[in-house]
Amino acid sequence: MADGDGHKSKQVDSAAQALQGLVADGQTLAVGGFGLCGIPEALIGALRDSGARELTVISNNAGVDGFGLGQLLETRQIRKMISSYVGENKEFERQYLGGELELEFNPQGTLAERLRAGGAGIPAFFTATGYGTVVAEGKETREFDGKHYVLETALKADVSLIKAWKADKAGNLVFRKTARNFNPACAMAGKVCIAEVEQLVEVGELDPDQIHLPGIYVDRIVVNPTPEKRIEQRTLRQGDE
């Protein structure tokens, strides 16, 4: 679809349309976010409504009960999680301990680097993190300069679902503060990337020096101007209302 200036726009009308023709049973998806910060809320809802099943999801965590990726756990659409922290989700715990959900645990930095490597075309890398622990079980280890390292493989996804603050119609993205988190790495690790954004501007309106992720990594954009942005655990100082 082209805009009024002849530029090809990557915008689609809805989250459901953004997933159309791209999501299928058995796929691997990379989903941005850290806790509930910077998660693609509308795209996760559309993924739930798509009914796609037997999914492997790469994400730092699995949302919370009833929100974020937690919605897909309730509908049993996720077969396996490749994650770092899952402690906010009781349904996740129940399914995992009951043998209903596969889990591939990663140290958080290792998860980020595995995604980055996937996007950069690096098949594997050595890291000292996890050596001598259960993380290293079954993996190749080597010694460099007297220090031991574990071989970790890159992560790639069939589809990436990410969240940004602002985009232009060519898909160039700007993230807002800590909501950037895993989103750029997830975007680059996917064969196809769908971005959910709060603001969409014309091509040329973004300062090139302020763009965090080039549009070459983004295939479709959907605008969600008023995301819910829940807080996992709201904490106030004594006396605050």
Side-chain angles (χ1 to χ4, degrees):
M1 184 172 65
D3 61 22
D5 296 321
H7 296 111
K8 186 176 181 181
S9 174
K10 297 180 179 180
Q11 182 184 9
V12 295
D13 294 333
S14 66
Q17 186 179 345
L19 299 185
Q20 192 171 8
L22 298 181
V23 173
D25 292 352
Q27 285 183 324
T28 296
L29 287 88
V31 182
F34 185 97
L36 297 181
C37 177
I39 65 170
E41 298 177 19
L43 290 173
I44 292 172
L47 180 59
R48 175 201 60 208
D49 295 342
S50 75
R53 308 190 69 80
E54 294 293 308
L55 300 174
T56 296
V57 178
I58 307 165
S59 186
N60 179 66
N61 60 290
V64 296
D65 291 303
F67 194 70
L69 291 173
Q71 298 172 85
L72 301 181
L73 290 173
E74 290 186 348
T75 53
R76 306 298 182 89
Q77 290 171 260
I78 297 177
R79 177 184 63 83
K80 178 180 179 180
M81 286 292 307
I82 302 176
S83 299
S84 175
Y85 176 69
V86 294
E88 298 292 337
N89 196 312
K90 289 184 174 61
E91 179 61 16
F92 187 110
E93 178 184 8
R94 191 197 65 74
Q95 289 188 26
Y96 174 66
L97 294 178
E100 303 168 22
L101 178 69
E102 295 180 50
L103 172 62
E104 184 177 327
F105 249 145
N106 296 255
Q108 199 164 82
T110 299
L111 180 65
E113 183 65 5
R114 291 183 73 191
L115 284 165
R116 191 200 69 81
I122 299 170
F125 59 93
F126 282 101
T127 175
T129 304
Y131 179 80
T133 73
V134 293
V135 170
E137 289 181 2
K139 298 175 183 176
E140 180 183 342
T141 61
R142 285 185 64 180
E143 183 179 337
F144 297 93
D145 298 325
K147 192 171 183 178
H148 296 280
Y149 294 81
V150 181
L151 184 69
E152 295 282 1
T153 55
L155 289 172
K156 296 182 180 180
D158 298 301
V159 180
S160 295
L161 308 180
I162 68 167
K163 167 68 186 297
W165 173 51
K166 185 184 291 188
D168 67 18
K169 292 183 177 180
N172 297 302
L173 301 183
V174 177
F175 300 93
R176 189 168 187 273
K177 303 186 187 303
T178 57
R180 188 187 313 191
N181 53 64
F182 281 83
N183 281 292
C186 285
M188 291 185 281
K191 296 177 185 176
V192 179
C193 175
I194 307 168
E196 176 181 330
V197 303
E198 295 176 45
Q199 299 180 33
L200 185 67
V201 300
E202 297 296 331
V203 175
E205 289 190 38
L206 297 178
D207 180 346
D209 288 333
Q210 301 302 313
I211 290 171
H212 296 138
L213 186 73
I216 191 172
Y217 293 109
V218 178
D219 298 281
R220 294 181 183 177
I221 304 164
V222 62
V223 178
N224 179 17
T226 55
E228 188 173 343
K229 293 185 181 179
R230 286 196 199 178
I231 297 173
E232 287 174 84
Q233 295 185 23
R234 189 177 182 214
T235 304
L236 301 175
R237 291 173 299 188
Q238 190 172 2
D240 288 353
E241 294 183 359

